Amino acid sequence: MIATIHGFEEAAGPARRLADLLQIDCRIVEVRRFPDGESLVRVAATERMAILYRSLDRPNEKLVELMLAAAALRDRGAGRVILVAPYLGYMRQDMAFHPGEAVSQQVVGKLLAAHFDALVTVDPHLHRVATLAEVVPGIDAVAVSAAETLAGMLRADTAPDTILVGPDMESRPWVEAVAAPLGFRVLVGEKQRLGDRQVELAVPGIEAVRGRPVVLIDDLISSGGTLLRCADLLRAAGATRIEAVATHCLAGTEDLAHLAAVGITRIRSTDTIAGPTVSIAIAPVLGAALARLESRLYDFRQP
Ligand code: R5P
């Protein structure tokens, strides 16, 4: 591949892993914050295909810098600027749940589509929208799945009588995709969200977990409220051990401590978001997606 990866400082590790895999250069995007809170962004020299690498957790502070970096890369001669955002924030507000609310998914999606030629992300939380292409209209949109990566991780050290539990209907595609190659039994809960951190949950068939280990599977751990309630129910139903595996983990130290306190003995996630639960690199999945995308974008290389 002839391209350069430009990673922001906080994503330097995963960005370099991806660059090593693709055997291309990785350069760090320099950001200087002025006393008034504005950012000065400086990018290094680039190949004509520039891959900007930044996850969009804490998106409010990151989005403007992304736009500035994309513009600077074009000024330095990039013919195509691809955003690799392993975690794509603002996907859950996909409708106005109450009058007057912004539909953040649409607003942020259109903003990204206006500044990038392609977007590559991992397990975006698309619920009422069928494809990522609808979120970022008019550009190449690639959503890859971490399910195989997570299954590979579980294959190494998970007892054969383990039951995989998806806490809610939205988790069904992930839990089924992870379970399929391993042959584990699956249960899927029914969830009602009562507040930012509070959910009510029921798991039909939960009696099956008595005397067996359980792994909770979800695309995203945010406040941890969903896993907390689910773990309560599973413990009460007699599960012998409870672990959790997710593509993305946004939970902070305090929320992770609450999850440990309710008996979740281990939480593992991919490196789409930095943190103490990171157990496996997503670079191979992203690398394969970029290789496929490159062949589609090939013709831009000639000036
Ligand atoms: C929601 O449908 C997602 O799949 C996750 O279950 C949810 O975002 C987790 O959020 P929290 O950790 O705050 O309960």
Side-chain angles (χ1 to χ4, degrees):
M1 178 180 287
I2 303 171
T4 315
I5 294 192
H6 300 266
F8 284 76
E9 188 61 53
E10 85 281 348
R16 286 202 177 100
R17 279 195 280 283
L18 181 59
D20 288 349
L21 202 92
L22 295 170
Q23 298 181 302
I24 59 178
D25 279 351
C26 179
R27 295 171 185 155
I28 297 301
V29 178
E30 286 176 44
V31 178
R32 187 183 148 219
R33 297 261 159 78
F34 290 109
D36 60 7
E38 291 181 6
S39 299
L40 177 70
V41 167
R42 186 180 293 119
V43 299
T46 184
E47 292 286 351
R48 297 242 316 135
M49 180 156 136
I51 299 168
L52 200 50
Y53 192 110
R54 177 171 241 192
S55 259
L56 284 173
D57 52 314
R58 292 179 289 111
N60 294 359
E61 57 193 75
K62 289 180 170 179
L63 273 165
V64 170
E65 290 168 3
L66 266 191
M67 311 299 157
L68 297 175
L73 285 166
R74 290 190 203 282
D75 290 345
R76 293 210 76 157
R80 290 280 189 276
V81 183
I82 299 170
L83 173 61
V84 173
Y87 173 69
L88 189 59
Y90 276 126
M91 290 300 102
R92 285 174 288 176
Q93 181 79 13
D94 58 1
M95 61 177 278
F97 295 92
H98 302 100
E101 285 178 358
V103 183
S104 318
Q105 184 192 72
Q106 282 177 15
V107 176
V108 172
K110 282 183 192 146
L111 190 68
L112 295 177
H115 290 264
F116 294 93
D117 299 291
L119 167 68
V120 178
T121 189
V122 186
D123 288 341
H125 192 90
L126 303 179
H127 182 36
R128 278 158 283 260
V129 168
T131 63
L132 186 64
E134 293 168 58
V135 176
V136 283
I139 65 169
D140 266 294
V142 182
V144 294
S145 170
E148 230 175 274
T149 309
L150 301 180
M153 196 166 71
L154 290 178
R155 184 179 285 116
D157 64 0
T158 306
D161 62 337
T162 300
I163 297 186
L164 303 192
V165 177
D168 52 31
M169 288 307 173
E170 290 161 328
S171 69
R172 183 180 282 283
W174 283 281
V175 68
E176 287 181 344
V178 173
L182 304 171
F184 289 137
R185 179 163 177 191
V186 164
L187 294 177
V188 177
E190 289 163 3
K191 177 171 89 180
Q192 201 193 345
R193 187 165 282 284
L194 307 175
D196 288 347
R197 292 171 172 274
Q198 221 191 341
V199 300
E200 203 34 84
L201 246 163
V203 183
I206 197 168
E207 53 289 347
V209 306
R210 175 161 300 283
R212 294 172 70 164
V214 165
V215 179
L216 285 157
I217 310 275
D218 211 347
D219 59 331
L220 172 65
I221 305 169
S222 184
S223 69
T226 300
L227 294 193
L228 205 77
R229 184 72 193 111
C230 208
D232 269 344
L233 297 178
L234 292 165
R235 212 187 41 237
T240 53
R241 179 182 168 86
I242 306 171
E243 292 192 24
V245 163
T247 304
H248 314 288
C249 182
L250 290 163
T253 320
E254 208 177 311
D255 290 323
L256 290 172
H258 290 148
L259 293 171
V262 293
I264 301 184
T265 49
R266 179 164 61 161
I267 300 178
R268 288 182 284 179
S269 64
T270 73
D271 63 354
T272 57
I273 298 168
T277 61
V278 169
S279 308
I280 196 155
I282 201 66
V285 180
L286 291 173
L290 284 165
R292 288 193 298 273
L293 188 61
E294 190 207 18
S295 57
R296 289 218 295 276
L297 297 178
Y298 186 82
D299 58 353
F300 79 87
R301 284 217 206 113
Q302 306 311 321

